[in-house]
Amino acid sequence: MGATTRRWLTAAAATMTALVLGAGTGQAAEKEPTGPVQPNILTAALYSLGAPTIAPPGANDWNCKPSDQHPNPVLLSNGTTANAYENWANLSQKLANAGYCVFAGNFGGAPGSFLQTVGPVADTTKALAAFGDKVLQATGAKKLDVVGHSQGGMNVRYWIKYLGGADKISRLVGLSPSNHGTDLFGLLSTLEMIPGVPAALGTVCQACNEQAVGSAFLTDLNAGGETVDGIQYTVIQTRYDDVVTPYTSAFLAPKPNVKNILLQNVCGLDFTDHLGITYDPVAEGLVLNALDPAHAKTPPCVPVPPVISGQIG
């Protein structure tokens, strides 16, 4: 056997060993493919039409080990209908640049589909919780910090209450979370009263029915207290939310471990809406502060338009 052949066999054996060990621990041998950073949710959605399963930039490096400064991996939880790339193709990279191990996945939709997070909230959250367990195993961390948008900020509370998340989550940061549901300016509440409409809506988006104000799901979720001790909760909401209405329904009941933040109290130039908030530079700064309050910085107060979100000029 020649030296070249021996080197090739040694390299092949090492590769196979790494793959086997990775499969046994739930780790991938390399980083997952990621897409580019996007300036707003519209460009991200257009990109993900052709690549709906691609990870957002800076996310899903299964070899990432948390630092002493940021010992908890950050798990991103998607909003209704959104896939991970569409929802997080800006904030994920900012979190990675700040030194966090960042992870995001697609749950609650058909595998490979552009539309995600539309199935029953309990089922979506079970898949998210399993993904969170995989993150903890791969990184060796003891707890997770979770950042969720819309449904993604609310459904983690189901994980905490019913799926053992209270022992695995340190911080929950919600961006326009649907904690008390929505009436869509009264439209959804009216439609829910029309015979046959809830059933029809449920065939395409069961999660939409469950997020209606007064739904059985939300009534059960919020019964007995909205939060648990030992977890730090931050809600970041915009006055101009056009999905979670009234906008105040995002806020959690006041407690020492709850911080409700209205964006316009931080920056009056911020006109971001529900869809744009995950790309809003002011909101992104508040997320970083919520994850690391010991090193909090005043977010930049810059003009932010609805939907396209990114800083003007």
Side-chain angles (χ1 to χ4, degrees):
M1 183 183 298
T4 300
T5 302
R6 285 196 298 270
R7 284 195 297 270
W8 185 89
L9 289 174
T10 300
T15 299
M16 289 301 296
T17 300
L19 289 171
V20 170
L21 289 175
T25 62
Q27 289 181 271
E30 299 178 353
K31 296 180 182 179
E32 291 183 21
T34 59
V37 172
Q38 298 289 347
N40 58 66
I41 197 168
L42 297 180
T43 59
L46 286 173
Y47 186 93
S48 67
L49 279 171
T53 62
I54 200 162
N60 294 5
D61 177 1
W62 293 95
N63 295 316
C64 185
K65 297 301 179 185
S67 66
D68 291 339
Q69 183 178 359
H70 301 309
N72 298 337
V74 176
L75 176 58
L76 303 175
S77 177
N78 309 337
T80 307
T81 76
N83 59 63
Y85 181 83
E86 175 188 3
N87 225 159
W88 306 111
N90 191 283
L91 180 58
S92 57
Q93 188 63 63
K94 288 193 175 181
L95 291 169
N97 291 347
Y100 291 94
C101 294
V102 184
F103 297 88
N106 293 316
F107 316 104
S113 172
F114 171 77
L115 292 176
Q116 296 292 322
T117 331
V118 292
V121 175
D123 292 347
T124 299
T125 307
K126 287 175 185 175
L128 177 68
F131 187 81
D133 286 341
K134 178 182 175 183
V135 170
L136 290 174
Q137 183 180 20
T139 60
K142 294 181 179 179
K143 289 197 174 185
L144 299 161
D145 291 337
V146 185
V147 179
H149 175 227
S150 191
Q151 180 191 328
M154 173 274 292
N155 65 8
V156 178
R157 293 177 48 234
Y158 184 92
W159 178 3
I160 291 169
K161 186 171 184 176
Y162 292 116
L163 302 175
D167 296 327
K168 299 175 182 178
I169 295 171
S170 178
R171 299 180 184 275
L172 171 56
V173 184
L175 291 159
S176 296
S178 52
N179 284 319
H180 300 97
T182 178
D183 62 6
L184 281 179
F185 299 104
L187 176 62
L188 184 58
S189 298
T190 300
L191 291 175
E192 289 281 329
M193 293 187 292
I194 301 175
V197 169
L201 181 59
T203 62
V204 293
C205 183
Q206 182 61 39
C208 296
N209 282 335
E210 293 176 331
Q211 291 174 93
V213 168
S215 71
F217 175 85
L218 286 172
T219 299
D220 177 73
L221 178 64
N222 292 321
E226 299 171 4
T227 57
V228 301
D229 295 338
I231 296 177
Q232 296 299 313
Y233 296 82
T234 303
V235 173
I236 301 167
Q237 174 61 321
T238 174
R239 186 186 304 277
Y240 306 109
D241 197 317
D242 43 12
V243 174
V244 172
T245 64
Y247 73 87
T248 52
S249 67
F251 294 134
L252 293 167
K255 285 184 65 176
N257 60 330
V258 173
K259 189 172 186 179
N260 292 312
I261 302 173
L262 183 63
L263 272 172
Q264 286 70 38
N265 287 343
V266 177
C267 179
L269 301 176
D270 194 328
F271 293 91
T272 193
D273 68 334
H274 185 86
L275 292 178
I277 194 169
T278 59
Y279 289 81
D280 175 357
V282 183
E284 290 179 328
L286 292 171
V287 169
L288 288 168
N289 287 347
L291 294 173
D292 188 7
H295 300 92
K297 301 176 182 177
T298 301
C301 185
V302 293
V304 180
V307 186
I308 59 174
S309 319
Q311 177 179 344
I312 299 175

